[in-house]
Amino acid sequence: MANDKIANETKAAEMTLEEQEAYWEKKVDEAFQHLVDTYLASRHRKKVDIITKAFNFARQAHKGVRRLSGEPYIMHPIAVAQIACEEIGLGSTSICSALLHDVVEDTDYTTEDITNIFGAKIAQIVDGLTKISGGIFGDKASAQAENFKKLLLTMSDDIRVILIKICDRLHNMRTLQSQPANKQYKIAGETLYIYAPLAHRLGLNKIKTELEDLSFRYEHPDTYKAIQRKLATTQASREQLFKDFTDPIREQLDKMGMKYEIKARIKSPYSIWNKMQNKHVTFDEIYDILAVRIIYTPETPEMEIPDCFKIYIAAKKLYKLHPDRTRDWTDNPKANGYQALHITLMSKQGQWIEVQIRSKRMDEIAEQGFAAHWKYKDESEFVEDDNELNEWLRTIKEILDDPQPDAMDFLDSIKLNLFASEIFVFTPKGDIKTMPAGCTALDFAFHIHTFLGSHCIGAKVNHKLVPLSHRLQSGDQVEILTSKSQHVQEEWINFVTTAKAKGKIQAILRRDSREVRKQGEEILNKWLQGNGLEPTTSILDKLCEFHEFKKHDNFFYALGMKTVILGEKDLDELHGKSKHQSAGWRKFVPFLNSDKKKETGLQQEDNYYVVKKDFNKKKPVYITESNIKQYIFPQCCHPIPGDDALGYIDNKNHIEIHKRACPVASKLKASFGNRILDAKWDMHRQLFFDATVRIRGIDRKGMLLDVSEVLTQQLGINIRKITISTDNGIFDGSVAIRVHDRDDVKVIMDSLKHITDLQEVSQII
């Protein structure tokens, strides 16, 4: 797809202006005809007239406008509509909305115009897809969170809004190569943080996987290519393993007269990388890259589940079953509608292989998500028939009714609800409730009702008394115990895991703390007046920074609770007499003297670069030995030369440097994407950076000696700190060292792996 696009653009660039116009006109007509043909081949009613009308309207509205790639802008709405129709299976209302989704935002047409020409339903969806400015997060936040909030609000009335937005995001990701690096990181990070989990939650597994892989490809291009190469070199052995494993199964299913097909499912590059990071293993140590999918067609709908278990029994007779890795979602589907039976079998080659058994209907739901459930009474009315989806939408609406004032908190609370795995919990009356894995008794209480949660004192799980923080398991029967004298406690926020519980607790705490904050504000105003000062934002900012509060409200609360008492030191700070300096990690790192030379759009103040108005965000910032002191390196991820890095312009216009895979950076990309910069290293192995390597293996005499010998004798490295503990013959430890860059860490880890009985070596972030 990408190669065809590049060929088209190259061909167009070699033509005259008139030839280019004719060439693209033909391409646009072909793309639209392909969309119409796809729609006519679907099961939807054939309302081609309104689709053609929407196309002509959008084509005229976007006339003369081109994308960064050089193609006419109308190609983008057509592509989004194609994805909606072909890959999700939506009908004419969605196709029209996709064709028109940028008209209100990018042209002079209004939502009212869309209503008059195409009707209220299409106008409502287009309005939900149109970006907005301002909002609850203030001027300092980028618009992503506010736009996402609007999407979710409209989604609760018509979920096609978020589906078309996912289609829009998928096409943007497929054409991301046209964007500068800082935009790529922003869009990829936002996609991975919000849109991929959202696609998963809606059951769009194929789209979720592609969004993850595309994000990974742009954020970590070298690692992505390395995994692709590994997959290519191991393909032949996987194909042989698949054939040897499935041939006996095919023979057995043919004897049974089953209608079926068997597919190989290869783990995606992003999933492989994610597992490598989480499990601290290499590519060669991942054994579940291959899975087998059996898709069968039952003779009658009533035989769907019995046939599933017939296949299960047949496979179990051929291969040994892993007893702890059977997952049955046939009777109780996942919250995103996914239904299947997963089993893990031992192949003749001595390798565990997961087998996914699902009917053709289950497979359709797995590929198209909730869209496979939907029924259209007529195209103006949209009905979804899934209780789980309705329950989820209600939870989202509750979060939106009382959103967090901070963009990152808001996105966090939404993301919490996009859980990947679920458990089934029973009420005392035997009703089944779907909850996220890892949830607590208090989460369950809030899930049932806010009153139960806010007055919860404990619970009985399987008739045994447990505390509020008790983590629930699938199959637990839970009875919530309450008391009218109980009130929401601040520490509850530390152990609840669901978005609903967190949102409700925070809302109640905010309500309770408003009075305290008001008292704190009054204390501050009286103190300022008594010292002849005006209550201005700059004074408040200085006091917050002096007392290490990030938010004004937290400072007011501390004043109201009397945990902060204003005095002479505060006056000295405000009058610039204070010698107070923050002491961070930088005092421990030996940097060379900084170069005072100014860079384009950067100005040095207070030892840090300050981004000026004329700074070009599209160009990368280069980190060198001479200027490294002018950047902020937060504690969250400790980037060192060789790491994939990015820059973030903070509220003081200083530049923070993060790893691109850093969890904090992921939130920043999703919430403040317009402040993301591309950062590149230009280091020459003159400075040292801290790194910690974790080691684990079988305990024996001389192990510590071998480790120190490899590091000090072979590699000439000075060990700063080493910690080792043993338990039942297994040792676990960490070694703190100083390195020049990421290559040094790789050499150290590779060398340590050669030590006998040292089983695992990984880097601690």
Side-chain angles (χ1 to χ4, degrees), residues 295-330:
I295 302 161
Y296 65 94
T297 304
E299 285 187 22
T300 62
E302 293 77 23
M303 289 301 294
E304 185 180 46
I305 304 299
D307 281 355
C308 181
F309 281 91
K310 281 181 187 175
I311 295 170
Y312 160 71
I313 292 164
K316 193 176 145 186
K317 284 179 180 176
L318 293 167
Y319 299 105
K320 184 183 176 184
L321 178 75
H322 194 300
D324 300 325
R325 284 165 69 179
T326 298
R327 302 286 181 268
D328 181 5
W329 292 291
T330 52

Side-chain angles (χ1 to χ4, degrees), residues 71-208:
E71 68 181 15
Y73 193 86
I74 187 63
M75 292 291 278
H76 169 63
I78 295 171
V80 175
Q82 183 71 37
I83 294 168
C85 178
E86 184 175 7
E87 299 184 46
I88 300 185
L90 299 177
S92 62
T93 300
S94 300
I95 293 169
C96 290
S97 302
L99 289 168
L100 299 166
H101 80 272
D102 277 334
V103 166
V104 174
E105 185 184 339
D106 295 343
T107 74
D108 294 331
Y109 289 104
T110 64
T111 308
E112 203 174 318
D113 295 328
I114 304 296
T115 306
N116 293 334
I117 300 167
F118 296 99
K121 179 51 69 179
I122 289 174
Q124 181 195 12
I125 296 171
V126 171
D127 184 52
L129 291 160
T130 303
K131 290 178 185 171
I132 51 178
S133 58
I136 61 169
F137 303 118
D139 298 331
K140 289 187 177 178
S142 66
Q144 287 102 300
E146 187 65 37
N147 293 330
F148 194 66
K149 175 175 179 270
K150 184 179 179 185
L151 276 171
L152 292 171
L153 279 168
T154 318
M155 180 186 81
S156 59
D157 295 321
D158 194 325
I159 203 163
R160 283 175 291 189
V161 172
I162 205 75
L163 286 169
I164 296 166
K165 183 61 185 174
I166 288 171
C167 297
D168 178 40
R169 178 50 57 113
L170 180 57
H171 185 248
N172 283 335
M173 289 301 298
R174 286 173 176 174
T175 56
L176 199 57
Q177 69 270 18
S178 306
Q179 295 284 354
N182 66 314
K183 274 287 188 73
Q184 289 178 351
Y185 303 151
K186 173 250 181 188
I187 294 168
E190 191 180 286
T191 300
L192 205 53
Y193 192 72
I194 289 292
Y195 288 99
L198 194 57
H200 173 84
R201 188 61 181 77
L202 292 169
L204 304 168
N205 188 57
K206 196 174 178 184
I207 288 177
K208 182 234 13 169

Side-chain angles (χ1 to χ4, degrees), residues 525-648:
N525 288 336
K526 282 180 185 177
W527 182 80
L528 289 172
Q529 286 168 12
N531 289 286
L533 296 166
E534 290 292 323
T536 63
T537 305
S538 62
I539 282 178
L540 191 51
D541 285 343
K542 280 184 182 179
L543 288 171
C544 283
E545 185 180 358
F546 182 60
H547 289 282
E548 298 182 346
F549 287 102
K550 288 185 179 178
K551 298 178 184 176
H552 294 174
D553 278 353
N554 294 349
F555 179 56
F556 290 142
Y557 186 79
L559 288 173
M561 293 295 290
K562 308 291 192 298
T563 54
V564 168
I565 308 294
L566 298 170
E568 289 298 319
K569 285 185 179 180
D570 297 280
L571 281 176
D572 288 343
E573 179 70 20
L574 294 177
H575 292 307
K577 297 176 185 176
S578 173
K579 293 180 181 177
H580 168 79
Q581 288 182 343
S582 60
W585 62 275
R586 293 169 196 83
K587 68 180 182 181
F588 300 109
V589 182
F591 292 128
L592 300 181
N593 289 328
S594 62
D595 187 354
K596 302 292 181 185
K597 183 172 64 178
K598 290 184 180 179
E599 297 183 12
T600 308
L602 291 176
Q603 179 179 319
Q604 190 182 321
E605 290 178 11
D606 301 328
N607 296 323
Y608 295 131
Y609 282 135
V610 175
V611 175
K612 297 185 291 185
K613 285 185 179 178
D614 58 343
F615 180 74
N616 186 352
K617 294 180 185 175
K618 292 182 181 179
K619 289 187 176 179
V621 293
Y622 286 89
I623 308 161
T624 67
E625 280 90 354
S626 61
N627 71 11
I628 194 168
K629 203 173 179 182
Q630 275 76 61
Y631 297 103
I632 297 172
F633 287 78
Q635 292 278 18
C636 49
C637 58
H638 301 291
I640 66 174
D643 283 329
D644 290 334
L646 57 77
Y648 166 69

